[in-house]
């Protein structure tokens, strides 16, 4: 059984930083691309940052380039998202996913796995 568990969300002032973590179990972590998605209130889910199996290639949504950094530790089955200079518009539930298409940061097909999400709230 595949399990995806995020942590690290919280409330932060604009300009602050947070680091999200995601542990994936039940599959060969190093064999799948992974990524972070978010969904704000009344908005559709969007891909924020995605990374290839080895970590050698990444994709970022334009609005987070230069502020967010995605990384992974395959030895620990863990995905990270370092978020700096946070803005109120970054407020959303952040969800970790495995088995996605990192090239355009999309679900790609039905063979992927999702966490429950962690809330990030940025106050102005």
């Amino acid at each position: 059984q595949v399990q995806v568990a995020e942590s690290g969300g919280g409330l932060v002032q604009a300009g602050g930083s947070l680091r999200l973590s995601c542990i994936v179990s039940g599959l060969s972590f190093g064999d799948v691309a992974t990524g972070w998605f978010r969904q704000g209130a009344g908005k559709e889910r969007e891909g924020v940052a995605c990374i290839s199996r080895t970590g050698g290639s990444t994709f970022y949504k334009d609005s987070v380039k230069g502020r967010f950094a995605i990384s992974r530790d395959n030895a620990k089955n863990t995905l990270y998202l370092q978020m700096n200079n946070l803005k109120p518009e970054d407020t959303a539930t952040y969800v970790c996913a495995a088995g996605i298409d990192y090239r355009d940061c999309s679900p790609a097909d039905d063979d992927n796995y999702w966490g429950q999400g962690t809330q990030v709230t940025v106050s102005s």
Side-chain angles (χ1 to χ4, degrees):
Q1 181 181 357
V2 178
Q3 293 185 323
V4 181
E6 306 95 337
S7 62
L11 173 64
V12 63
Q13 289 188 332
S17 299
L18 284 173
R19 188 192 195 203
L20 306 183
S21 298
C22 171
I23 297 178
V24 181
S25 60
L27 55 71
S28 182
F29 185 73
D31 287 343
V32 295
T34 53
W36 291 96
F37 296 73
R38 69 185 182 189
Q39 186 165 16
K43 299 180 180 179
E44 293 188 354
R45 184 181 63 192
E46 59 183 4
V48 176
C50 291
I51 190 167
S52 61
R53 293 176 296 171
T54 63
S57 298
T58 56
F59 172 98
Y60 291 97
K61 178 180 172 60
D62 284 347
S63 63
V64 307
K65 286 180 180 177
R67 300 188 296 123
F68 290 11
I70 189 171
S71 61
R72 63 189 292 164
D73 185 338
N74 287 350
K76 295 182 179 180
N77 286 9
T78 303
L79 178 70
Y80 304 98
L81 184 67
Q82 178 66 44
M83 305 185 293
N84 299 325
N85 190 20
L86 282 160
K87 302 177 180 180
E89 51 263 43
D90 294 319
T91 294
T93 298
Y94 284 70
V95 183
C96 172
I100 52 83
D101 188 338
Y102 78 90
R103 293 168 297 180
D104 62 354
C105 211
S106 71
D109 55 32
D110 292 333
D111 191 17
N112 40 57
Y113 304 92
W114 299 81
Q116 295 296 309
T118 184
Q119 180 66 34
V120 172
T121 302
V122 185
S123 63
S124 57

